[in-house]
Amino acid sequence: MGDPLPMVSSSTGAMNSLLHKLTALEAEHPQLAEGVRERLKTLNHALHRFARRRARDALTNEWMLQVREVGYDMEDWVDGCLIGPSMPDTHLWCSDVSEQIEEFEAQIQDADERSTRYGLPISTEPTSAQDDDGETAGNVADVDPDLLHGEAPCRLVAIREPMNVLVSHLTDAEQRRKVVCILGAGGVGKTSLATEVYRQLQLQGRFSCGAFVHLGRNPSVKTTLISILKQVMPDWHYEKDLWSGYNYDDMGAWDEKNVVAKLWAFLKTKSYFVVLDDVWSIRTWKVISCALPNNDKTADRILITTCKKDVKESCCIHPTDAVYQMEGLGNKNSKILFDSKIPSSKKHSQLEGSDEMLKMCGGMPLAITITAGLLLRKSACLPLDQYHSEQQGMRKILEISYDDLTLPVKSCFLYLSAFPENYTIKKDRLIRRWIAERFIPKKNEESLWEIGESYFNELISRRLIQPAFDDDDDHPTGCTIHDDVFDFIESLSSEENFVTAGAKLKSGLFPCDSVRRVCLDCDEDDEGDTLFSSTYCTLEQNSRDSSDDEQNSSSDKDEATSLHLSQVRSLAFYGDVRRIPDLSIFKFVRVLDLTDGKGLENEQLESIGRLSLLRYLGLGGTKVTKVPQQIMKLDHLSTLDLRQTKVKKLPESEGSKLVSLLANGLTIPRGIGGMESLEELSTVCLRGNALFHEDMIGLVHRLRGLRMLGVKFSNITEEEEEGLKYFLDELGSSNLQFLFLDEYPHHLLGLLLDVWTHVRSGYLQKFELRMDWLHFFRYPERVPQTISFLEDLTHLHIGVLVVEAQGVRALGSLPKLVVLKLYSYNSPRFSVSSKDGFQCLKVFWYCCEHGTASGLQFEAGAMPHLRRLLLDINASATDFVSGIWHLSCLIQVRGTIYCGSTSTASALEASIRDQVSENPNKPLLELRSRTRKSGTTRLTRPIAPTSWWWLNSQRSGADHPAS
């Protein structure tokens, strides 16, 4: 038996889901069983068989598209009949079932006849999951660990010579603004080269400030300028006196002229180095150029990457400006790059077809990298002669790699086009949307989340997406997509009418078929969009008038608009969502994502409660404060994301089918009932209330399917220790796989240690403990020695007054610890050696509030697997940190230095730069220094990175290093 097939896929549409639902409807309408079901099964088998073909002609693709559309329309009708009165206008669909069935039978008959005319043989043999997907299912979890922890930055080939040329241009004696342009085709490595140049010059400390921003084809110029401003002036949020006349709290509210003026005023007295990556538009360059002053007395430098010759000519207009034409790699360097992408464990094996495919790559680094990922994981011998793409190189490699994916992974891959271009996609958000779209088939031994995560890791392993990291985890928390790969995804999605490009709708160009999935970027600059004027107004009006035949005589354009948008299944809005219409008109929507939408009001949520088919609702990062009760009553809603909102309470939810409930400090009501299907609940607020503790104990005990729980602690007193002890006991005996305890009180750490020593869950994969560390007067004096008893602990945030050798050894003895954030108020100098453990640690963040006599020293063999080092230090000694060269796996270093004088900060910066340069891995480095003002308290909140561009591969509005 092969693996089960997904209910919905890009190649077969909703056919599997439709056949499953017809069983429930046949009892009431037996005429559905009289030939309709069997004929649909035959068409479904043909879709699966054609989907497995590596090369299909245009007629086959057209026939498959038409059959998928019939399947989607039938499923929408079936859903309406099954749901009944709760669905708007259901009476219009189910009032004459026989007539509707006859119409569908005619469409099925038409599909049969077209297959005959097209010469497409349709077999009646049953579809086998083994035939479709089984061949690679066993390889999904085989992922190179280097990719999941961040590749070392030294894997660049043939970059020394071009880098030296560019550095020479950028560091010459010219005392004025100079522009240097890297020109080359997509995928040739322009961004990688620019990243290395930027890193090198940052290490040398030649400029007083710098910024690296990614633009792409359709950038928001204002957002890009704000990103530059925040990078060149990292103290912007501390210097309120600089913002006279500006809305300090919301830069997004500024207009473009305000941002240009502020950035120009700040840079006019500085020597700056700004990298503008992937510039496509002359207009974009001209606007940004206005914000970057041309000083006569400072050596300001701008490095641009572009694939457009007209942009190059517009940027480099002065005799001193320079252009570097970037070409593909030669045969020798192509082979070197290919070999560098093969894990050491596989280097001894001969990869079949590698020489032939390397020739196909044409020296393009991106194509070579994807080829390496493909040949490591390919399911069978790939007949290269089946690929007839007119475009050689990149397109052909992508076609071969795509065809080697299983059917579910293909759908998940194409679904990436449902997010904006140049956007960092969060992993958990993506997987939950995959699940809601029903792309992931259910397997008995694995949860849908686990299967979805394996698909995500597979796409990373195949180099089709680029992992993005943050400081809170050792594994990727998201991904970015290279422009050329995104173009490929978007073109295939368009061909199969899987995801419709939002840009086409915004311009008023509608596809021939109904829109099923779309992402709409509601940018504030889009004042002329037809999408938000006549289009939505027409759709809303047609929806209101649909019950009256006489009022349904609209123009052809209005009917086309209603036809295309009224059947959308997945709808995501980005930007200014104040302009979106009454959402209840999208009655077939299963996925609605409004995450980070600006201007969303509580009143707009009322209409969402009428979307009876809704499975996923994303409201995170919006300003909503409450959720209407009608939303909680939606029968199919399985994921509700309220993170980064002010929603703290939910209405009663008896009978809720929620699987994932995500928020920040949500208060669970007394006597909570329902929610029996919950698998993810995070975070709920545990306050000082004995009765509330009883409710939480009952909740965890009742929800045996709960695999992820996040709890935020607030105002827990010593008198309530008994209730907390029972709660912790229940956690220890649960089936939880992921446990997050936030702001856990220091004075109750002993209770946790006592309970966890005797009762430990056998299922935990991730245990994150964040102590209440923002208030130093609550800190314990030292790291408790008994903390080593928390053997399941993987992520720890802890603050102490002093760090001593015994505390270091206790932390290092935690066998599963991968992320450590250590805050010290004022510690003596301490060292970390090979004897201290830390055998699994990947991320170490050290913050010292007062560093007059403190310091940190790494000895040989210390933290042998550390990948990322983050330092946030308040020091007056120039040797505060030493031994960075001993960290043998280090790939990134970020430091923020607070000193009483500029000279001390400069000396400490130089010391850290020298140590990083001596590390054999040549880690990527970002350093920022801030002068400590008298009488100020520096830490009032957790520190987060602002321009950690090489680490996160950020592309949302600014930062992206990978090419």
Side-chain angles (χ1 to χ4, degrees):
M1 289 289 292
D3 292 329
L5 296 170
M7 286 295 178
V8 180
S9 77
S10 56
S11 299
T12 64
M15 275 294 185
N16 288 326
S17 177
L18 171 61
L19 289 169
H20 178 75
K21 292 175 180 178
L22 281 178
T23 303
L25 205 58
E26 284 172 355
E28 186 177 350
H29 304 286
Q31 58 267 52
L32 283 172
E34 299 173 1
V36 173
R37 183 180 180 82
E38 290 304 314
R39 293 169 74 182
L40 283 174
K41 289 173 70 175
T42 300
L43 293 178
N44 189 35
H45 173 64
L47 284 175
H48 280 277
R49 186 157 49 83
F50 293 143
R52 294 197 300 271
R53 291 185 178 179
R54 298 195 184 278
R56 298 193 299 263
D57 57 34
L59 286 178
T60 303
N61 287 333
E62 177 62 24
W63 182 85
M64 292 178 68
L65 174 60
Q66 292 167 347
V67 174
R68 285 195 300 269
E69 293 300 302
V70 172
Y72 280 131
D73 290 341
M74 285 193 69
E75 188 188 38
D76 288 342
W77 176 77
V78 167
D79 281 338
C81 290
L82 288 175
I83 290 174
S86 65
M87 187 85 172
D89 304 327
T90 300
H91 64 283
L92 296 178
W93 306 342
C94 299
S95 57
D96 194 339
V97 174
S98 298
E99 181 178 336
Q100 185 63 68
I101 291 176
E102 287 180 6
E103 182 178 335
F104 285 133
E105 285 180 329
Q107 294 179 15
I108 295 170
Q109 179 64 32
D110 184 51
D112 287 337
E113 294 173 354
R114 281 199 308 274
S115 68
T116 302
R117 292 198 305 270
Y118 294 169
L120 305 177
I122 298 182
S123 170
T124 58
E125 298 175 6
T127 301
S128 166
Q130 176 69 34
D131 293 340
D132 289 300
D133 305 297
E135 67 271 18
T136 59
N139 296 327
V140 167
D142 183 19
V143 180
D144 180 3
D146 281 347
L147 287 172
L148 296 186
H149 297 298
E151 284 188 283
C154 55
R155 298 185 183 182
L156 299 175
V157 175
I159 204 169
R160 184 178 301 277
E161 180 180 346
M163 188 179 71
N164 290 340
V165 171
L166 291 170
V167 169
S168 176
H169 282 302
L170 293 165
T171 58
D172 61 16
E174 184 72 22
Q175 290 296 308
R176 61 178 306 280
R177 191 179 83 170
K178 180 176 182 177
V179 178
V180 179
C181 179
I182 305 174
L183 178 66
V188 77
K190 301 184 299 296
T191 307
S192 294
L193 176 57
T195 300
E196 186 65 14
V197 170
Y198 184 78
R199 186 188 75 87
Q200 186 66 34
L201 293 183
Q202 287 291 88
L203 275 175
Q204 296 176 10
R206 286 180 172 269
F207 300 92
S208 56
C209 57
F212 190 112
V213 291
H214 179 89
L215 287 89
R217 273 170 295 201
N218 301 296
S220 167
V221 175
K222 187 180 79 172
T223 302
T224 301
L225 291 171
I226 289 175
S227 178
I228 295 174
L229 182 58
K230 289 182 177 181
Q231 291 184 59
V232 298
M233 191 167 56
D235 283 333
W236 65 273
H237 49 288
Y238 293 109
E239 306 291 346
K240 293 190 177 184
D241 55 309
L242 296 177
W243 306 99
S244 177
Y246 292 86
N247 183 349
Y248 163 81
D249 294 319
D250 185 10
M251 283 189 180
W254 300 2
D255 61 32
E256 198 172 274
K257 292 181 179 179
N258 290 143
V259 184
V260 169
K262 179 55 66 176
L263 182 57
W264 188 93
F266 178 78
L267 291 178
K268 67 180 180 180
T269 59
K270 306 288 190 301
S271 63
Y272 60 83
F273 176 38
V274 174
V275 179
L276 305 177
D277 183 39
D278 199 19
V279 181
W280 282 66
S281 162
I282 294 176
R283 180 196 172 276
T284 298
W285 155 247
K286 288 184 175 179
V287 174
I288 295 177
S289 177
C290 291
L292 304 177
N294 189 353
N295 300 317
D296 294 332
K297 297 182 180 180
T298 56
D300 306 317
R301 298 293 184 261
I302 303 171
L303 179 61
I304 291 173
T305 72
T306 184
C307 59
K308 298 292 185 181
K309 291 184 178 180
D310 59 343
V311 172
K312 177 262 297 183
E313 293 168 355
S314 177
C315 297
C316 300
I317 57 176
H318 297 289
T320 55
D321 295 339
V323 177
Y324 181 82
Q325 178 70 51
M326 196 165 185
E327 306 291 348
L329 300 174
N331 293 337
K332 180 180 178 180
N333 285 325
S334 294
K335 180 64 173 172
I336 293 173
L337 176 61
F338 177 81
D339 289 342
S340 74
K341 299 299 180 182
I342 305 298
S344 56
S345 60
K346 300 289 184 70
K347 288 187 184 295
H348 64 278
S349 61
Q350 181 66 31
L351 298 179
E352 185 178 356
S354 59
D355 292 339
E356 186 176 353
M357 292 195 68
L358 273 179
K359 292 179 182 177
M360 196 184 302
C361 293
M364 304 298 283
L366 178 62
I368 295 169
T369 299
I370 293 176
T371 296
L374 166 65
L375 294 180
L376 281 172
R377 303 183 58 86
K378 63 176 183 155
S379 57
C381 180
L382 298 175
L384 302 182
D385 58 352
Q386 286 191 14
Y387 296 89
H388 306 291
S389 172
E390 294 181 0
Q391 298 183 27
Q392 298 298 309
M394 191 70 252
R395 175 77 186 197
K396 197 165 186 177
I397 294 298
L398 286 170
E399 288 176 353
I400 298 172
S401 188
Y402 173 76
D403 279 338
D404 193 55
L405 300 174
T406 62
L407 183 61
V409 182
K410 283 180 179 177
S411 303
C412 293
F413 179 54
L414 294 189
Y415 191 69
L416 297 172
S417 61
F419 292 84
E421 187 179 6
N422 304 321
Y423 187 79
T424 299
I425 305 171
K426 285 292 187 180
K427 180 179 78 170
D428 63 340
R429 178 182 177 191
L430 176 63
I431 294 175
R432 291 187 183 105
R433 281 179 56 173
W434 283 347
I435 293 171
E437 295 279 3
R438 308 188 78 184
F439 299 152
I440 300 178
K442 177 63 178 166
K443 301 178 185 178
N444 292 331
E445 68 278 9
E446 293 181 283
S447 69
L448 293 178
W449 173 269
E450 289 171 323
I451 300 170
E453 188 173 37
S454 72
Y455 291 171
F456 181 84
N457 291 341
E458 180 178 356
L459 292 176
I460 290 177
S461 177
R462 290 177 177 270
R463 318 291 181 125
L464 292 172
I465 61 176
Q466 300 159 331
F469 299 85
D470 64 24
D471 296 340
D472 290 323
D473 211 340
D474 61 317
H475 279 71
T477 57
C479 68
T480 59
I481 311 165
H482 191 281
D483 294 339
D484 287 4
V485 178
F486 189 86
D487 289 344
F488 174 77
I489 295 172
E490 196 171 54
S491 67
L492 285 189
S493 293
S494 178
E495 289 172 11
E496 299 193 356
N497 195 35
F498 185 60
V499 177
T500 302
K504 292 182 180 179
L505 299 185
K506 289 171 70 175
S507 64
L509 298 175
F510 292 95
C512 297
D513 302 290
S514 298
V515 175
R516 304 296 179 181
R517 300 170 188 86
V518 68
C519 162
L520 301 171
D521 191 350
C522 316
D523 193 276
E524 59 189 16
D525 299 330
D526 302 326
E527 298 177 356
D529 290 347
T530 60
L531 182 65
F532 297 103
S533 53
S534 61
T535 297
Y536 277 154
C537 292
T538 298
L539 177 57
E540 188 170 357
Q541 187 62 41
N542 284 352
S543 177
R544 292 171 180 169
D545 297 345
S546 58
S547 61
D548 190 339
D549 292 337
E550 294 182 1
Q551 296 180 4
N552 217 13
S553 57
S554 57
S555 66
D556 291 341
K557 179 180 178 181
D558 293 343
E559 291 176 359
T561 300
S562 181
L563 172 66
H564 287 124
L565 291 178
S566 63
Q567 293 181 286
V568 67
R569 291 169 157 247
S570 179
L571 187 58
F573 289 95
Y574 294 82
D576 188 357
V577 298
R578 288 172 294 187
R579 303 163 63 193
I580 63 176
D582 180 355
L583 290 167
S584 64
I585 60 179
F586 302 111
K587 55 191 175 185
F588 294 109
V589 163
R590 278 82 167 171
V591 173
L592 179 61
D593 198 343
L594 303 173
T595 302
D596 295 328
K598 298 178 181 177
L600 186 67
E601 302 291 341
N602 290 335
E603 292 74 18
Q604 291 173 283
L605 302 185
E606 297 292 339
S607 60
I608 297 177
R610 296 192 288 274
L611 301 178
S612 302
L613 300 178
L614 195 63
R615 298 191 195 111
Y616 177 101
L617 178 57
L619 299 173
T622 65
K623 293 185 177 180
V624 298
T625 59
K626 62 180 180 179
V627 176
Q629 188 172 36
Q630 194 64 27
I631 288 180
M632 300 302 297
K633 292 182 178 180
L634 290 173
D635 289 334
H636 296 273
L637 186 63
S638 61
T639 298
L640 178 59
D641 189 350
L642 300 169
R643 289 174 294 184
Q644 307 304 319
T645 70
K646 294 184 179 180
V647 177
K648 300 302 178 185
K649 293 183 180 180
L650 291 177
E652 291 189 17
S653 51
E654 191 73 37
S656 170
K657 303 291 180 61
L658 280 174
V659 174
S660 299
L661 177 55
L662 310 169
N664 293 108
L666 196 66
T667 298
I668 299 297
R670 287 256 24 235
I672 183 173
M675 295 202 210
E676 302 295 335
S677 301
L678 269 181
E679 295 180 10
E680 296 181 309
L681 177 60
S682 184
T683 61
V684 292
C685 189
L686 189 65
R687 299 185 183 277
N689 183 316
L691 293 176
F692 183 71
H693 294 175
E694 293 177 9
D695 284 337
M696 286 297 297
I697 294 169
L699 182 69
V700 175
H701 180 76
R702 189 175 72 253
L703 301 177
R704 305 314 294 178
L706 195 66
R707 63 175 186 83
M708 188 265 274
L709 175 65
V711 180
K712 185 174 183 178
F713 293 81
S714 177
N715 300 322
I716 306 294
T717 64
E718 294 184 3
E719 290 76 18
E720 294 161 339
E721 286 189 21
E722 191 67 21
L724 180 58
K725 178 182 182 299
Y726 288 133
F727 174 63
L728 295 174
D729 276 334
E730 191 65 43
L731 292 181
S733 61
S734 69
N735 298 326
L736 288 172
Q737 297 175 4
F738 304 93
L739 176 61
F740 173 40
L741 304 182
D742 190 24
E743 296 188 19
Y744 189 87
H746 282 92
H747 68 275
L748 295 176
L749 181 59
L751 180 62
L752 176 63
L753 294 170
D754 181 59
V755 171
W756 221 258
T757 302
H758 301 93
V759 181
R760 287 173 48 207
S761 170
Y763 300 92
L764 271 183
Q765 299 174 18
K766 179 179 179 179
F767 178 13
E768 182 167 354
L769 175 63
R770 297 188 182 185
M771 307 300 294
D772 180 12
W773 59 278
L774 289 182
H775 305 95
F776 70 85
F777 54 85
R778 298 179 182 174
Y779 292 171
E781 186 175 355
R782 295 173 177 82
V783 175
Q785 296 298 294
T786 51
I787 201 168
S788 59
F789 295 154
L790 295 177
E791 294 183 8
D792 291 317
L793 200 62
T794 58
H795 298 63
L796 174 63
H797 299 197
I798 186 171
V800 293
L801 294 180
V802 296
V803 179
E804 295 181 335
Q806 296 91 334
V808 172
R809 199 162 292 116
L811 294 172
S813 66
L814 292 167
K816 299 179 182 179
L817 191 66
V818 293
V819 175
L820 173 62
K821 293 194 173 184
L822 178 60
Y823 185 94
S824 167
Y825 184 69
N826 190 4
S827 293
R829 190 172 188 85
F830 68 93
S831 64
V832 182
S833 71
S834 59
K835 298 179 181 179
D836 292 318
F838 297 108
Q839 293 301 306
C840 293
L841 195 68
K842 303 295 192 306
V843 181
F844 178 42
W845 183 91
Y846 180 56
C847 176
C848 184
E849 175 70 37
H850 296 284
T852 53
S854 61
L856 170 62
Q857 179 177 346
F858 298 102
E859 298 181 2
M863 298 182 175
H865 299 289
L866 190 71
R867 313 285 286 189
R868 305 200 290 279
L869 174 64
L870 297 90
L871 301 170
D872 203 82
I873 48 184
N874 207 338
S876 57
T878 58
D879 62 345
F880 182 89
V881 60
S882 63
I884 293 178
W885 58 82
H886 288 312
L887 301 174
S888 58
C889 287
L890 196 63
I891 59 175
Q892 284 112 10
V893 178
R894 178 168 64 86
T896 303
I897 301 167
Y898 293 81
C899 293
S901 67
T902 303
S903 60
T904 304
S906 299
L908 183 52
E909 277 190 37
S911 172
I912 294 175
R913 292 182 197 277
D914 290 343
Q915 294 179 60
V916 171
S917 299
E918 293 177 32
N919 188 294
N921 271 356
K922 304 299 181 187
L924 300 170
L925 173 68
E926 178 187 16
L927 279 179
R928 295 179 303 196
S929 61
R930 295 172 181 162
T931 301
R932 183 176 62 241
K933 295 184 177 180
S934 176
T936 61
T937 300
R938 182 178 59 82
L939 271 187
T940 57
R941 57 181 176 81
I943 299 297
T946 56
S947 61
W948 200 210
W949 49 267
W950 47 72
L951 177 60
N952 286 328
S953 298
Q954 283 279 27
R955 303 180 74 169
S956 51
D959 315 316
H960 168 57
S963 185

